[in-house]
Amino acid sequence: MVEGRRLVFWVSGALALAVFALAVFASAALHDTAPGRGGAALAFGSLLAVAVLAAAVLVDRWLLAPARALARSIEIVLATGRASAAPLPARHALGALPLRVGALVERVVGAEERLGEERARAKAAAEADRRRLAAILRDIGEGLIHAAPDGRILLYNDAAVTLLGAPAGLGLGRSVFEVLSHETLAHHLDLLRRLARGDASVRGSEPFIVTAAETGRLLRCRLSLVGDEPPGGEGFVLVLAEASVPVSGGTGRLLDQLESGWRGPVAAIRAAAEVLRESALDEQTAWFTRVVVEETARLEGLLCELAAEARAMVLQQWPLYDVATGDLAEVLAERLAARGIDVRLGCEGESAWASADSGTLVVLLASFLERLARKGVTEATLSARNRSHGVTLRLAWRGPLLEREEFETWLASRLEGWGLPFTPREIAERHGSEPWLASSPEGGVLHLPLSPPKGVHQVRAPPALPARPEFYDFELAAAPASLESQPLRQASYVVFDCETTGLDVEQDDLLQLAAVRVVNGRVIYGEVFDCLVDPGRSIPEDSIRFHGITPDMIVGKPPPEVVVARFARFAQGAVLVAHNAAFDLSFLHKYERRAGVRFEQPVLDTLLIAAFLEDHRGDHSLDGVAARLGIPIRGRHTALGDSLATAEILVRLLSMLEARGIKTLGEAIRASRSMVEIRRQRARPVEAASRV
């Protein structure tokens, strides 16, 4: 405002000076010819210059000065938060502006006062919540640590201090990797972030064992990510508890005594008694000898059972969780690079699921490869082989084979340089495994058997595959009269999918059948049906590319008619739903007679419903519809993965049908049936063109 005042006076002064100079020039020019007119010009110019200066003074007094006063009052309001009346002159040219500004200031001040009151209440509530949270955290028996993405500790409780042994490195702003085993924690954090990038619903991992850096104490740890974009973008939370897993003595002194210390003497007694029984003995001695043989045999069997139970007890204390061997290979390769171990790791075959502690397992494999690297090995390959009772990891390499003594030395060496107080043998024992070496034409192979997964997981298959051809020429089962008028969301649905040896229903057979229930417009993920099938025939290689089901995976699985009969019980009383349903339904009908069942319930085809709602535009394959509806497909070309995706599609299509005015099951079935002839007509020109 001060700058404006200066500008006005500078401009008015310059203008007055210019007017006066012009008047002097005119007066001088007219002085000789018309002295009277020259004097008048000078007088007029002087008056005009004075008028310009007077106008500047008036502008300053009536406009600029009141504006400056108004600005000062606003500054006071901004500085103090209180309304202040502007000391305006009696006359000014601002009109009603001061009144309007005053009203606005009063409103702003009132809003600020109310906002201040709300802030005070919110602060008091936050402080109360903080005190309650502090009390809760103080009383929680489990340790709790919240850390930023880079590991800086943002929160911890008293239990964490006790469990970690009150280390000097524990404190706000300090790194959590200073108080817990860096290798183990970093591994599980990387693995969880990797899984979360593929599945946004992933929030935590199963418990794993971690070591307190300062005391070496074993702790059970559960890790959860905070933030979705990216996963763990707001940090992570650790829940710590005491681990009751014994560390020293392998699987424990009791188990060692059962398997080696006691079984040997019992076997020796039995062998001696059998030798005596073959000698010429009197009747009484022979009877006692037979009793000794029989009782030692029974005692040996009891010792075997007791050893198995003791081993199971130890393994139950050690938390194992389901992990994909493909993820293990990726993390292992990163760990080798981080440790500077110059071994190029490749992955062979499809990923398999196993039950393991991935952190310690990666350390075991990395330490073995580190030993191989010292012998000049530069290439290795990790693969997984499914077996009847689990999975076998195979680590193959090119180069020299470890000697037996060197292998035993590695098994017995502690992995303290990797942040673990265990030996490779102890890690293997806690996985219920015994690693062994074998030679190969190019080098050697480390075999490590693992337990089967606890849950059901989709088979990983190659991503880019041609789509299944569309089957549409079928009659949808008519709904009973009692179901015709049933509202769409009140019906119960079973969404299913089949994987087969091929696309010809007459010549090909069922390989996998999976389904999930949809009740009240919601997918019930806890109620699924998933069965592999042994069709009693070979599986073509081209078919394996689609679904990833290999011959060894179906060994011992039930035949098609048994699985179809089980599925009929699972789907009883529900509407059957599938994408491109004619194909999947034809395989169910193929085994009806052999299974002793009939599929007579109504059928909905999500492909036909999508075509009806979208007026035939766009791609109506499962991938195309899912992409338009924003539904991710996990485990594509597996029966369970496709069933879950189709179920999510169905839920969204039900809402779209209701918005279109289709409210009942009968109306939805008629809408689907109307699409059959239309799509048949659209397909005929394509078929005719293909024959030309």
Side-chain angles (χ1 to χ4, degrees):
M1 195 65 67
V2 175
E3 294 297 329
R5 185 187 186 198
R6 289 177 180 174
L7 179 62
V8 168
F9 280 107
W10 274 105
V11 171
S12 61
L15 184 59
L17 184 61
V19 169
F20 183 73
L22 183 61
V24 171
F25 176 78
S27 175
L30 296 172
H31 181 71
D32 294 334
T33 58
R37 295 179 61 187
L42 180 60
F44 178 77
S46 299
L47 290 175
L48 186 59
V50 171
V52 169
L53 293 174
V57 172
L58 291 176
V59 167
D60 177 60
R61 180 173 296 179
W62 289 359
L63 184 63
L64 296 183
R68 288 195 299 272
L70 192 60
R72 282 194 297 272
S73 72
I74 293 175
E75 289 173 356
I76 293 173
V77 172
L78 294 176
T80 64
R82 296 180 178 180
S84 175
L88 299 178
R91 294 182 179 181
H92 58 76
L94 296 180
L97 180 61
L99 296 177
R100 301 291 183 268
V101 170
L104 180 60
V105 166
E106 290 290 343
R107 184 172 298 181
V108 170
V109 169
E112 284 289 337
E113 290 175 352
R114 291 191 296 272
L115 183 59
E117 294 172 357
E118 290 296 328
R119 285 173 180 165
R121 281 194 290 268
K123 184 177 180 180
E127 183 64 23
D129 289 342
R130 188 195 66 79
R131 290 194 297 269
R132 283 193 291 268
L133 178 61
I136 292 170
L137 293 178
R138 190 163 45 247
D139 294 335
I140 288 178
E142 294 180 317
L144 184 67
I145 297 177
H146 178 205
D150 59 359
R152 286 178 295 108
I153 297 174
L154 306 177
L155 176 149
Y156 63 91
N157 65 349
D158 293 342
V161 177
T162 303
L163 289 169
L164 293 171
L170 180 62
L172 297 179
R174 304 290 296 274
S175 175
V176 70
F177 297 108
E178 295 179 11
V179 296
L180 292 171
S181 171
H182 186 283
E183 291 280 348
T184 305
L185 184 55
H187 163 80
H188 286 280
L189 189 58
D190 292 343
L191 182 61
L192 191 58
R193 285 170 175 165
R194 185 189 307 277
L195 295 175
R197 283 194 292 269
D199 184 356
S201 65
V202 174
R203 285 292 179 273
S205 66
E206 295 294 333
F208 56 90
I209 296 295
V210 69
T211 310
E214 194 164 299
T215 63
R217 189 178 187 180
L218 291 181
L219 303 171
R220 288 178 183 265
C221 182
R222 183 180 290 274
L223 173 66
S224 299
L225 299 179
V226 180
D228 297 328
E229 295 296 338
E234 298 176 24
F236 54 92
V237 174
L238 299 170
V239 179
L240 305 171
E242 183 69 54
S244 58
V245 181
V247 180
S248 60
T251 55
R253 185 172 182 274
L254 173 62
L255 191 54
D256 289 341
Q257 289 292 329
L258 288 173
E259 294 188 330
S260 58
W262 296 352
R263 188 182 297 177
V266 171
I269 294 172
R270 181 183 177 189
E274 288 178 346
V275 172
L276 286 176
R277 190 170 61 175
E278 294 176 358
S279 305
L281 302 173
D282 56 67
E283 183 177 351
Q284 186 176 10
T285 305
W287 182 82
F288 278 115
T289 304
R290 186 174 67 254
V291 170
V292 171
V293 171
E294 293 174 354
E295 292 303 314
T296 52
R298 191 165 68 88
L299 182 58
E300 191 173 9
L302 290 174
L303 286 175
C304 291
E305 293 178 6
L306 189 57
E309 292 180 5
R311 180 177 292 276
M313 288 174 60
V314 172
L315 293 177
Q316 287 173 3
Q317 296 180 57
W318 190 272
L320 303 179
Y321 57 96
D322 293 355
V323 62
T325 58
D327 293 330
L328 278 178
E330 293 178 7
V331 175
L332 178 57
E334 293 177 359
R335 188 60 52 85
L336 293 175
R339 297 278 297 200
I341 300 173
D342 191 18
V343 176
R344 186 168 63 254
L345 182 68
C347 193
E348 184 180 89
E350 294 179 355
S351 179
W353 287 90
S355 185
D357 174 17
S358 61
T360 57
L361 195 58
V362 165
V363 170
L364 180 148
L365 295 172
S367 67
F368 183 77
L369 287 170
E370 184 180 40
R371 188 170 290 265
L372 289 179
R374 297 185 194 135
K375 299 178 71 67
V377 174
T378 58
E379 293 185 10
T381 303
L382 187 67
S383 60
R385 298 288 184 271
N386 285 291
R387 51 192 176 91
S388 56
H389 299 292
V391 173
T392 297
L393 277 182
R394 298 178 72 255
L395 183 65
W397 69 90
R398 295 182 180 182
L401 184 66
L402 289 183
E403 298 293 337
R404 183 65 188 175
E405 292 183 0
E406 189 176 2
F407 182 61
E408 290 294 332
T409 300
W410 169 74
L411 286 175
S413 61
R414 292 206 172 272
L415 301 172
E416 294 176 351
W418 294 81
L420 293 178
F422 311 118
T423 66
R425 176 174 281 113
E426 289 171 345
I427 293 175
E429 285 177 344
R430 282 164 175 80
H431 283 81
S433 175
E434 184 176 349
W436 53 280
L437 289 177
S439 60
S440 68
E442 297 179 339
V445 181
L446 173 67
H447 294 261
L448 187 64
L450 298 176
S451 302
K454 300 172 185 176
V456 178
H457 303 277
Q458 295 120 15
V459 179
R460 295 190 176 183
L465 293 172
R468 175 188 289 175
E470 183 178 324
F471 292 78
Y472 56 83
D473 195 4
F474 74 105
E475 288 296 327
L476 287 170
S482 60
L483 295 179
E484 285 279 345
S485 58
Q486 187 173 16
L488 284 172
R489 291 196 177 272
Q490 291 184 11
S492 295
Y493 304 90
V494 167
V495 185
F496 73 102
D497 185 77
C498 301
E499 297 299 336
T500 62
T501 59
L503 302 177
D504 189 337
V505 68
E506 298 296 332
Q507 300 182 7
D508 290 302
D509 292 287
L510 194 64
L511 277 176
Q512 186 182 22
L513 180 59
V516 62
R517 296 186 193 275
V518 175
V519 180
N520 292 329
R522 186 167 61 92
V523 182
I524 311 299
Y525 291 99
E527 298 184 13
V528 297
F529 179 93
D530 187 17
C531 285
L532 288 171
V533 180
D534 185 357
R537 53 165 292 181
S538 61
I539 306 176
E541 289 294 330
D542 290 342
S543 175
I544 294 176
R545 288 188 59 246
F546 275 88
H547 43 60
I549 302 175
T550 56
D552 57 338
M553 294 172 62
I554 62 172
V555 174
K557 301 302 179 182
E561 59 270 19
V562 173
V563 174
V564 170
R566 292 176 183 172
F567 174 73
R569 292 193 294 272
F570 179 82
Q572 186 174 6
V575 179
L576 291 178
V577 182
H579 196 83
N580 198 6
F583 176 83
D584 301 280
L585 199 62
S586 63
F587 276 90
L588 295 184
H589 290 322
K590 177 178 180 177
Y591 300 106
E592 278 183 331
R593 178 173 297 181
R594 289 159 56 184
V597 298
R598 292 279 294 174
F599 293 98
E600 298 177 333
Q601 58 259 66
V603 179
L604 284 179
D605 188 341
T606 51
L607 183 151
L608 296 177
I609 295 175
F612 170 79
L613 291 170
E614 298 173 359
D615 195 23
H616 307 285
R617 290 189 295 270
D619 176 15
H620 296 113
S621 67
L622 185 63
D623 296 286
V625 177
R628 285 195 297 278
L629 296 179
I631 298 171
I633 304 179
R634 303 178 182 92
R636 181 69 171 107
H637 292 294
T638 67
L640 183 58
D642 290 355
S643 296
L644 292 172
T646 305
E648 292 287 355
I649 289 173
L650 173 66
V651 171
R652 286 164 173 75
L653 293 182
L654 291 179
S655 299
M656 296 169 68
L657 285 171
E658 290 173 342
R660 191 71 68 89
I662 296 177
K663 305 291 187 181
T664 66
L665 179 62
E667 292 171 346
I669 291 177
R670 286 190 290 274
S672 299
R673 190 182 296 134
S674 68
M675 293 295 100
V676 174
E677 183 60 30
I678 295 175
R679 295 187 71 79
R680 182 191 294 117
Q681 295 294 335
R682 286 174 174 263
R684 282 175 181 170
V686 178
E687 295 173 358
S690 63
R691 298 191 189 102
V692 177

